[in-house]
Each structure stands twice: as structure tokens, then as C-alpha cells.
Amino acid sequence: MASIEAPDLLAVLKKIEAKGVIDTAHRSREVCGRVFRYAIATGRAKHEYRCGSRWRSCARVPRTHHAAIIDPVKVESC
């Protein structure tokens, strides 16, 4: 754990992002953060490398909006 640096994690996240699975890259970043926090708590690492959370190095997940039923008559028929 102590030998892993922020650029190493960033390179892996960029490879995942290049495949077009941006959500997976974000979840992987979150999991890495949890692993580093655990390593710090158990004395296996001294620093937490938060790739992308502060630097916005990962692309944003595209937002999708869904239509809503706003007519009460249509809600009753569902």
C-alpha cells in the first residue's frame, strides 16, 4: 500500500474511463478511497490519495432526465 502513488491510481482510472464506463471509474475511485482509509487505520499507509475527487480528473457522469406523469387522471389509470 505504501508504494502506491496518486499518479498510479489516476492512470488506472483513466484506462477505465477510456473504455466509456465513466460510472465504473467513479465507483472504483470511491472503493480505492475506502481501501486507503482502511490502510491508514491499520498502519499500512500514511497518506490517502484521492484521485480525482479534488482535481476533477475523472469525467462527469452524464445526467439523464426522465419524464414524470403530472396529469392525475393518467396516474389513476396506471
Side-chain angles (χ1 to χ4, degrees), residues 18-40:
K19 293 180 182 179
V21 283
I22 298 170
D23 190 47
T24 302
H26 282 273
R27 283 187 273 133
S28 299
R29 184 189 69 202
E30 291 173 6
V31 170
C32 288
R34 290 183 207 144
V35 170
F36 270 99
R37 284 191 293 276
Y38 178 77
I40 291 168

Side-chain angles (χ1 to χ4, degrees), residues 9-77:
L9 288 177
L10 184 60
V12 172
L13 293 175
K14 287 293 184 182
K15 285 182 184 178
I16 295 171
E17 186 180 295
K19 293 180 182 179
V21 283
I22 298 170
D23 190 47
T24 302
H26 282 273
R27 283 187 273 133
S28 299
R29 184 189 69 202
E30 291 173 6
V31 170
C32 288
R34 290 183 207 144
V35 170
F36 270 99
R37 284 191 293 276
Y38 178 77
I40 291 168
T42 58
R44 296 179 179 141
K46 293 184 180 188
H47 302 285
E48 179 181 354
Y49 297 106
R50 299 175 70 87
C51 282
S53 63
R54 291 185 187 145
W55 307 307
R56 293 271 180 208
S57 57
C58 290
R60 291 183 178 217
V61 178
R63 292 188 180 193
T64 55
H65 299 282
H66 301 283
I69 300 173
I70 58 173
D71 185 15
V73 175
K74 290 182 180 179
V75 173
E76 291 175 2
S77 65

